[in-house]
Amino acid sequence: IRFGSPVRRAALRARLLAVNPLCWLNTRDRFSTGGPWIVLICTYGLLLLAWRVFTPKADLTPYWFAAALVADVCLRLAIANEAAMGIWRHRESGAIELILATPLNEREVIQGQWLALRRRFAGAVIVMTGINLALLGYVHFVRLWTTGAMFVSFVLCYIVASIIDYLALCWVGIWCGASARKASAATGALGRVL
């Protein structure tokens, strides 16, 4: 069930092995890409539910801030964990050594990890950014310019800084996963970075 039907596995293997074997190895589990989407759906769904139930005529801004922060923290933790543990898990199982026995070099291994992280998290990051921008537009324009330029600048800077943080977490996570001797060391180093 986890890897899908034989036809699905063969099609995914043929498509991703042509791109990068490590990308295929990291994303062949069909449930692996669902985590970020579940976090976003639950977080923003709870935002809308809380807003409709508790204060349907009140300002959406406090609920939006709470949901954006919770979704952002959960997404950061998921990205950090997968960046570190993805490569560490395959290194521990010996899959990295098998891949390095092929014509792939270290650069292509790192590229495969990046492709896997992008395949898993890019859609969720784009959707979260779009939702935050849409809510910013709602709060700023529909609420009749009550927010001011400082608020808009703050939120835009926060969105840009979050995207930069996601990229940095990927790099640091890959480095921690590749250099750590134990799983706890890989995630512990990332915990200190977060």
Side-chain angles (χ1 to χ4, degrees), residues 9 12 26 33 43 53 79 86 90 109 120 172:
R9 287 193 314 254
L12 183 68
N26 280 333
T33 57
T43 304
V53 169
I79 288 171
H90 298 308
V109 169
R120 183 168 293 164
V172 173

Side-chain angles (χ1 to χ4, degrees), residues 35-47:
W37 292 105
I38 291 170
V39 167
L40 289 181
I41 290 168
C42 290
T43 304
Y44 286 107
L46 287 174
L47 156 82

Side-chain angles (χ1 to χ4, degrees), residues 64 131-143 151-152:
W64 167 47
I131 289 172
N132 287 339
L133 288 173
L135 288 171
L136 175 64
Y138 164 78
V139 169
H140 187 64
F141 295 113
V142 175
R143 303 290 292 168
F151 174 79
V152 172

Side-chain angles (χ1 to χ4, degrees), residues 3-25 27-29 119:
F3 298 112
S5 67
V7 173
R8 182 201 174 277
R9 287 193 314 254
L12 183 68
R13 184 173 43 247
R15 191 175 78 234
L16 291 180
L17 279 176
V19 174
N20 189 297
L22 194 67
C23 180
W24 164 77
L25 187 63
T27 58
R28 62 191 172 140
D29 182 357
R119 185 164 191 254

